[in-house]
Amino acid sequence: MSTFTVTRQEPRLVVPAETTPRELKQLSDIDDQEGLRFHIPVIMFYESNPFMEGEDPVSVIREGLAKALSFYYPFAGRLVEGPNRKLLVDCTSEGVLFVEADAEVELNRLGDTILPGSRVLEELLHDVPGSDGILGCPLLLLQVTRFRCGGFAIALRLNHTMSDGAGLVQFLSAIAEFAQGKEVTAPSVSPVWQRELLSARHPPRITCLHHEFEQVLDTNNDDANSTPIQKPFFFGPKEIRAIRNHLPPHASASTFEVLTACLWRCRTRALALDPNNTVRVSCLVNGRSLPGLIVPHGYYGNVIIYPAAVSKAGKVCSFPLEYTVELVKTSKLQITTEYFRSVADLMVIKGRPLYTVAGNFIVSDVRRLGLDTVDFGWGKPVYGGPAGAFPGLSFYMNFKDGIVIPICLPEPVMERFEEELKKMTKEPFDGSVGHRPPKITSML
């Protein structure tokens, strides 16, 4: 079921519960890159809980939000831009947008339409006119929608320059702590700003090779440039086992590496690119645990980069899957503290460019962030994670006993993608595919 009526109240601004400082705070040079200057939608669905009978999720979450904003007050401000496109937060305490809504449907009637990429999001996250800009607009929009069964959904849209997924979960957890405990006076994790820790060096210097920021011409065919659609794809133990059957028995690879290699190959084949075209896969990496990168506990800014591995489209399409898996591993192995510093310096030197778009497939594994465990008092969500994909960008989320991944492609390309994916997940495979790949000595 995907059609139902939602009644929304007028949007209102929720401001910090306590007085907060009026100041200008700089974002880091990782935060304000062009590739993060967009709003990312996230959604969480909660079932009714008899122990919470009489409690209104809208009121509980709105009050928790106001209290959390007293500690995370930059979220209540607005972005301004300085010289060299430098972003700063003007901490005005104007507030974040909040929408109260009611849906004339039970949560269990929605079925698989709660999965990312569904059009349900259009009803559960209202695009308040004039709220989706990067500068001078609310940095966060939340809509809490009650279902007739007593369950509810929290959908939000975050200006990505403010936080990555880990930072957002930290903020949501603070809201949840205030929502659950009337006696809570401060979040258990104190928020840390200190964005200067990930700013460029003086003088800035690019010391690493960054395939993810190479500017290339888009040579896609007409199909690839038509209107994109979204679909979620589920990978349970059966599907993952089928994909692994395309690898030699001795191959060592994580589920993420195997899935990414498979999706990159299927996507490249579906795009029907010239075999000599260069294609990329970029694996988004959280740098919080990198040795030498000092990121204090409680830091809620962006600590993410997306190094790319590159190859020719013909090789990705025709070489055994093991070749593509090794490329995915190569992408991840590039990450060092120096690589992070080099990205920040590149942003300052080159004017904060957008990542390479043409022929690039970016993947972000958010399964361990905790979006599916945030508890406002009603228990864990039945689904919690990004609300969909973007062209060229997909997310990996937990769902039931597997992983759900939304894919965004033009409709004719999506049809070919699904056919390619069926070959990888359902057809018997005897291992006799082409030739063994050469040892990878270069990414090109």
Side-chain angles (χ1 to χ4, degrees):
M1 176 174 183
S2 59
T3 56
F4 54 93
T5 303
V6 174
T7 304
R8 284 182 291 269
Q9 305 300 318
E10 284 296 312
R12 57 178 286 186
L13 288 167
V14 175
V15 301
E18 307 288 341
T19 303
T20 57
R22 176 66 189 267
E23 55 191 353
L24 275 176
K25 299 175 86 71
Q26 276 197 0
L27 296 184
S28 79
D29 290 314
I30 297 293
D31 289 323
D32 63 6
Q33 56 185 290
E34 184 63 33
L36 296 180
R37 296 188 183 206
F38 71 101
H39 293 261
I40 185 163
V42 170
I43 194 162
M44 295 171 284
F45 291 90
Y46 294 86
E47 294 177 319
S48 61
N49 184 332
F51 294 103
M52 296 297 288
E53 189 172 348
E55 294 286 351
D56 176 19
V58 169
S59 299
V60 169
I61 292 165
R62 185 167 52 213
E63 290 172 17
L65 172 64
K67 291 176 181 177
L69 284 173
S70 298
F71 297 86
Y72 290 83
Y73 61 89
F75 279 125
R78 301 292 183 265
L79 287 185
V80 295
E81 194 172 60
N84 195 25
R85 305 183 66 228
K86 185 68 202 168
L87 292 181
L88 307 93
V89 185
D90 186 1
C91 299
T92 60
S93 294
E94 289 177 72
V96 304
L97 273 174
F98 188 92
V99 179
E100 173 183 352
D102 292 278
E104 290 300 312
V105 68
E106 291 80 18
L107 175 56
N108 62 9
R109 292 288 305 280
L110 296 181
D112 286 345
T113 63
I114 69 170
L115 291 178
S118 165
R119 298 192 67 178
V120 162
L121 181 68
E122 296 173 13
E123 294 294 338
L124 301 182
L125 184 60
H126 179 52
D127 184 12
V128 177
S131 68
D132 62 351
I134 298 302
L135 303 177
C137 288
L139 299 172
L140 195 61
L141 163 66
L142 289 92
Q143 178 174 324
V144 181
T145 306
R146 309 177 192 91
F147 297 114
R148 284 193 305 210
C149 57
F152 61 96
I154 301 175
L156 62 91
R157 196 182 65 198
L158 168 73
N159 185 320
H160 206 332
T161 63
M162 289 293 291
S163 293
D164 58 14
L168 173 62
V169 169
Q170 182 181 312
F171 176 58
L172 291 173
S173 297
I175 298 173
E177 287 177 348
F178 284 115
Q180 287 199 56
K182 302 294 184 187
E183 305 305 315
V184 174
T185 58
S188 58
V189 177
S190 298
V192 174
W193 185 260
Q194 292 185 28
R195 304 295 170 105
E196 69 278 1
L197 294 173
L198 293 180
S199 288
R201 295 171 287 202
H202 299 287
R205 52 194 185 275
I206 302 170
T207 54
C208 301
L209 185 60
H210 295 286
H211 289 296
E212 68 271 30
F213 293 110
E214 291 170 340
Q215 300 307 302
V216 297
L217 291 175
D218 188 350
T219 56
N220 283 339
N221 57 35
D222 291 339
D223 278 354
N225 293 319
S226 54
T227 304
I229 60 171
Q230 287 196 53
K231 283 190 178 181
F233 293 90
F234 178 78
F235 298 89
K238 173 172 165 263
E239 289 80 11
I240 294 169
R241 189 166 54 248
I243 297 170
R244 282 191 181 276
N245 284 339
H246 290 257
L247 294 172
H250 67 269
S252 173
S254 68
T255 297
F256 170 81
E257 290 161 352
V258 171
L259 278 177
T260 301
C262 171
L263 294 174
W264 187 27
R265 169 193 266 194
C266 293
R267 187 177 182 275
T268 305
R269 285 178 171 176
L271 286 166
L273 302 173
D274 184 306
N276 290 315
N277 277 15
T278 298
V279 290
R280 290 166 171 76
V281 64
S282 293
C283 301
L284 194 142
V285 178
N286 182 342
R288 282 172 170 77
S289 60
L290 271 181
L293 195 68
I294 302 170
V295 181
H297 184 55
Y299 185 90
Y300 62 102
N302 288 283
V303 196
I304 52 172
I305 52 176
Y306 28 86
V310 299
S311 181
K312 296 299 183 184
K315 291 183 178 180
V316 172
C317 293
S318 63
F319 278 21
L321 188 64
E322 185 184 8
Y323 169 80
T324 320
V325 167
E326 291 303 317
L327 281 172
V328 173
K329 290 181 180 180
T330 302
S331 164
K332 294 165 62 183
L333 286 172
Q334 298 175 67
I335 296 304
T336 61
T337 296
E338 184 60 33
Y339 197 97
F340 249 88
R341 296 294 179 200
S342 184
V343 170
D345 292 357
L346 182 148
M347 290 301 147
V348 171
I349 291 170
K350 296 196 174 183
R352 310 180 202 285
L354 181 63
Y355 51 79
T356 307
V357 175
N360 196 6
F361 180 41
I362 304 174
V363 293
S364 176
D365 185 356
V366 301
R367 289 175 294 159
R368 295 176 181 84
L369 288 182
L371 284 166
D372 56 339
T373 63
V374 179
D375 181 1
F376 296 93
W378 280 261
K380 295 177 182 179
V382 293
Y383 170 79
F390 295 86
L393 171 60
S394 288
F395 301 92
Y396 295 19
M397 283 88 73
N398 297 314
F399 187 69
K400 296 183 178 176
D401 66 340
I403 302 169
V404 64
I405 304 173
I407 298 288
C408 184
L409 287 168
E411 191 163 4
V413 179
M414 182 70 81
E415 291 173 7
R416 297 195 293 266
F417 174 83
E418 290 186 81
E419 288 303 312
E420 293 294 338
L421 191 56
K422 283 178 185 175
K423 297 175 189 175
M424 297 294 292
T425 57
K426 292 185 179 177
E427 291 185 357
F429 182 71
D430 64 4
S432 56
V433 175
H435 54 80
R436 288 188 59 77
K439 183 178 179 183
I440 300 172
T441 55
S442 167
M443 288 193 291
L444 269 176

